[in-house]
Amino acid sequence: MTPAWYRERLYDHWQQSFLVSRELYRSTDGLQDIVLFETPGFGRVLTLDGVIQVTTGDEFVYHEMLAHLPIYAHGAVRTACVVGGGDGGMLREILKHPGIEQAVLVEIDGAVVDFCREYLPSVSNGAFDDPRTEIIITDGIEFMRATDRKFDLIVVDSTDPIGPGEVLFSEAFYKDCARCLTDEGIVVNQNGVPFLQGDEVTQTYRRRKPHFADVGFFLAAVPTYVGGFMALGWASKSPRPRAESVETLRARFLAAPVTTRYYTPELHQAAFALPKFVQDLIKD
Ligand code: SAM
């Protein structure tokens, strides 16, 4: 029998393919098409509307960098909000920090949460049932517009800016995020692969600049977000968190009961060093 391949169709001119050992789930009648399959190289792979969301093989890179980096930079995060993140991996990493008192997950598609709880339990690893977790099923832009809650950290763990995720890259959403952050609060997000999605970096920079004291990007190499390193967006109400010394970050890291496979304090600082072509994308 010919082996089955799954082809991701994120770009018109380039595709990545996975050898599929077994398809585990397929649903095409909900808000988003959901497909889950098993692979020899990356473990279980979840796709939404044909785009890779998470693989059990390399999810640690993405989740660790978007959760631990802002938490160690801030130093005293107590309240966090994850927008998107229906697989539960971001909640899992955030809740490793004992200082977290409340973690709110705002996810547009309840089917993703239900499905990931059942078919990808290692990704959330109990985070959905943690007493500090609150799950709200609604559109992130509506939640942020209407809420008067304040968070020390907002992690936008969204799909790409096509389909339901598009609004999470709008200036209106960033403005509301700024309003919902505490004085030294930070918002981080997935901002695509600069080599292939450079416009996303430029637009995010321009749309955030009017609303935050410090706007920037840091990089991480996630194998299944193909096309080179990925840009992760950073915006904070104060320049202090990004300016923390590596000694301070190291002291916080060593004091926390958190083990990592990708994040280190040294990598944290280095991740903000941008190649020239990425610097050129965010020129004022
Ligand atoms: N790590 C992934 C990536 O970059 O490909 C993101 C994974 S996570 C599963 C993305 C989640 O964002 C999905 O569960 C999707 O339903 C959710 N999402 C998309 N648009 C949203 C919106 N407007 N409000 C809240 N959640 C949204």
Side-chain angles (χ1 to χ4, degrees):
M1 208 171 83
T2 323
W5 287 82
Y6 182 94
R7 280 189 292 162
E8 182 186 35
R9 292 185 172 81
L10 179 57
Y11 304 107
D12 294 337
H13 61 293
W14 190 27
Q15 296 176 339
Q16 68 170 325
S17 301
F18 293 84
L19 182 61
V20 178
S21 328
R22 198 159 55 106
E23 185 171 296
L24 299 166
Y25 184 90
R26 180 179 288 266
S27 143
T28 51
D29 54 5
L31 180 67
Q32 302 170 100
D33 290 351
I34 303 177
V35 179
L36 179 79
F37 50 91
E38 188 88 44
T39 68
F42 286 94
R44 290 189 174 191
V45 179
L46 168 69
T47 71
L48 293 179
D49 289 340
V51 180
I52 307 304
Q53 297 299 309
V54 82
T55 87
T56 52
D58 69 1
E59 54 87 9
F60 67 98
V61 178
Y62 174 88
H63 289 134
E64 287 183 13
M65 286 300 271
L66 277 176
H68 303 309
L69 185 143
I71 289 176
Y72 288 126
H74 184 284
V77 173
R78 290 182 302 132
T79 51
C81 178
V82 178
V83 180
D87 53 65
M90 203 62 74
L91 274 181
R92 178 199 74 207
E93 289 303 312
I94 289 172
L95 290 167
K96 284 182 177 174
H97 294 266
I100 299 289
E101 294 167 4
Q102 194 178 48
V104 180
L105 181 83
V106 181
E107 163 62 59
I108 198 170
D109 194 345
V112 176
V113 176
D114 295 343
F115 160 84
C116 289
R117 208 191 261 277
E118 187 175 344
Y119 289 92
L120 283 173
S122 69
V123 175
S124 54
N125 197 26
F128 292 131
D129 301 316
D130 190 293
R132 296 169 291 171
T133 296
E134 180 184 351
I135 300 174
I136 299 174
I137 303 299
T138 191
D139 192 330
I141 193 166
E142 291 305 325
F143 171 82
M144 224 41 95
R145 187 181 51 75
T147 190
D148 54 8
R149 292 163 80 158
K150 297 267 186 197
F151 301 100
D152 300 316
L153 171 64
I154 298 172
V155 180
V156 189
D157 180 11
S158 69
T159 46
D160 286 299
I162 27 176
E166 190 174 357
V167 292
L168 304 181
F169 292 80
S170 66
E171 185 168 348
F173 176 68
Y174 297 143
K175 189 177 172 193
D176 281 326
C177 286
R179 184 181 49 75
C180 295
L181 284 175
T182 50
D183 287 349
E184 296 207 311
I186 303 166
V187 55
V188 290
N189 75 313
Q190 77 87 356
N191 222 111
V193 170
F195 183 73
L196 295 165
Q197 296 162 306
D199 287 354
E200 261 180 58
V201 172
T202 307
Q203 279 171 6
T204 297
Y205 181 75
R206 290 189 183 150
R207 291 172 184 175
R208 285 183 167 174
K209 202 79 178 67
H211 308 292
F212 295 89
D214 183 24
V215 178
F217 294 87
F218 54 107
L219 305 177
V222 185
T224 51
Y225 299 146
V226 290
F229 43 73
M230 177 175 211
L232 302 168
W234 165 282
S236 80
K237 301 278 283 278
S238 147
R240 196 271 308 158
R242 188 157 37 142
E244 291 292 25
S245 69
V246 74
E247 290 75 22
T248 300
L249 298 172
R250 209 178 283 136
R252 290 175 183 161
F253 180 64
L254 292 174
V258 175
T259 50
T260 57
R261 292 173 67 198
Y262 189 87
Y263 176 91
T264 69
E266 294 74 20
L267 187 75
H268 174 143
Q269 279 219 319
F272 283 97
L274 303 179
K276 181 69 168 51
F277 83 93
V278 182
Q279 290 181 29
D280 290 344
L281 293 170
I282 56 173
K283 270 198 189 125
D284 280 314

